[in-house]
Amino acid sequence: MLWRATDRRSANPLRTGLRWLLSLAFGYAGYRHLATPAPFLAITPPWVPEPALVVAATGIAEICGAIGLLVPATRTIAGGALALYALCVWPANFYHAFAHVTVGSTTLGWGYHAPRLAAQPLIVWWALWASGAVDWPFRTKARDG
């Protein structure tokens, strides 16, 4: 029953489009983690052990999650995993913002960091909603019946 409900939710054209967009975003980010790890290594907090391994593992996780979102049998678990992933990497975003980390020759200001930090909870929700794991806030009592 849960899988049928998830499949029905997944058929929503808006959800489908946003799921593809999220999958492309995570897939590209994962590729970048593997192809050009230096910027990600620069924003990794100093307390993270084996930063190169962590950056590579997060890239692989993003690619796997992106693929998982597109496979109906793994969609819900992939959405949950990507939401958890987004929470786990949030400290790196805070470190990047508050430590004034230079990436390449650029130090980004609060015009970048404030929206980026504020967007992380949206990314968490997006992964859950796009995967069909949650309907909030779009679920209505009329559709529940």
Side-chain angles (χ1 to χ4, degrees):
M1 193 68 102
L2 173 64
W3 291 110
R4 264 188 265 169
T6 301
D7 290 341
R8 187 175 60 246
R9 282 185 237 147
S10 297
N12 175 312
L14 177 61
R15 193 180 304 234
T16 299
L18 289 175
R19 180 174 49 250
W20 274 91
L21 182 60
L22 186 65
S23 180
L24 288 170
F26 270 110
Y28 179 71
Y31 161 76
R32 295 294 306 222
H33 275 74
L34 298 173
T36 55
F40 302 100
L41 288 168
I43 68 167
T44 302
W47 50 264
V48 173
E50 300 294 332
L53 179 61
V54 170
V55 168
T58 57
I60 292 167
E62 286 175 313
I63 292 168
C64 290
I67 293 167
L69 277 179
L70 302 178
V71 178
T74 60
R75 184 169 293 149
T76 304
I77 191 103
L82 287 172
L84 182 60
Y85 168 84
L87 283 174
C88 289
V89 299
W90 208 5
N93 300 130
F94 278 100
Y95 174 71
H96 187 195
F98 288 101
H100 306 291
V101 175
T102 300
V103 177
S105 61
T106 305
T107 301
L108 299 171
W110 282 101
Y112 168 82
H113 291 299
R116 178 69 183 93
L117 291 170
Q120 202 71 7
L122 175 62
I123 294 168
V124 170
W125 169 81
W126 186 2
L128 294 171
W129 185 78
S131 70
V134 299
D135 280 330
W136 181 87
F138 302 111
R139 191 173 193 168
T140 64
K141 291 190 185 254
R143 288 196 319 216
D144 290 346

